[in-house]
Amino acid sequence: MSARLAQFDALLARRRSARPAAGAQPTARVLRDSWGEPVAEFHHAPTDLDLLKAAHRIQGDDWIGVLADEAQNRGLTAAWRLALLRADRHGRPRLSAQAGPQWISAAALGRPGARPVELRRELCARAVQQLWASGWKLVG
């Protein structure tokens, strides 16, 4: 009788270990910089904008958006770039020595009047590609 109970317990233990635990959390994805240091942890699939905000340590009062780079304009074609403007941190030095925008994507040529949502999506994708090219990784 005890041999049968042991066999039954082993069968139950195998069934429990084969089933995924209820409420199991998905694995976290970690954004690592080019030196391999962790920068941010995501428990969901991050968007390009999420990755950029983490990589550039964008805070709530900073601004990220599309601006025309007037230094690269050619006639009626504008060079659009993703720009970051840091908010003034009273009593603390600015993170950037530049007074103007910090360009965080390569230029995308387009005529004025381009759809801003599509342009922003394209520029975010270009900026994330630049991160990957410079050695950043999303692990997990």
Side-chain angles (χ1 to χ4, degrees):
M1 180 79 171
S2 64
R4 281 187 154 174
L5 284 176
Q7 190 179 22
F8 183 69
D9 285 344
L11 181 63
L12 283 177
R14 262 189 270 146
R15 279 191 73 190
R16 269 192 220 121
S17 65
R19 243 186 281 161
Q25 296 296 323
T27 58
R29 303 178 91 183
V30 178
L31 179 65
R32 295 186 177 273
D33 63 13
S34 56
W35 297 283
E37 296 294 322
V39 174
E41 188 173 294
F42 300 98
H43 295 286
H44 55 77
T47 64
D48 289 343
L49 190 58
D50 292 336
L51 293 170
L52 292 173
K53 285 181 176 182
H56 293 283
R57 292 165 178 80
I58 297 174
Q59 297 181 3
D61 48 353
D62 294 336
W63 180 85
I64 183 170
V66 178
L67 289 178
D69 185 357
E70 294 177 357
Q72 295 187 15
N73 286 350
R74 295 184 192 122
L76 294 177
T77 304
W80 301 99
R81 294 178 77 177
L82 199 60
L84 170 62
L85 292 171
R86 300 269 184 202
D88 288 331
R89 310 277 188 255
H90 297 290
R92 289 190 266 158
R94 293 179 67 98
L95 295 176
S96 174
Q98 303 172 13
Q102 177 184 352
W103 302 116
I104 58 175
S105 76
L109 296 177
R111 295 180 74 80
R115 292 184 176 193
V117 173
E118 292 173 9
L119 188 58
R120 182 178 174 138
R121 191 175 304 128
E122 178 188 347
L123 291 173
C124 284
R126 285 183 183 212
V128 169
Q129 288 173 356
Q130 285 178 306
L131 288 177
W132 301 153
S134 65
W136 288 68
K137 294 178 184 168
L138 188 61
V139 182

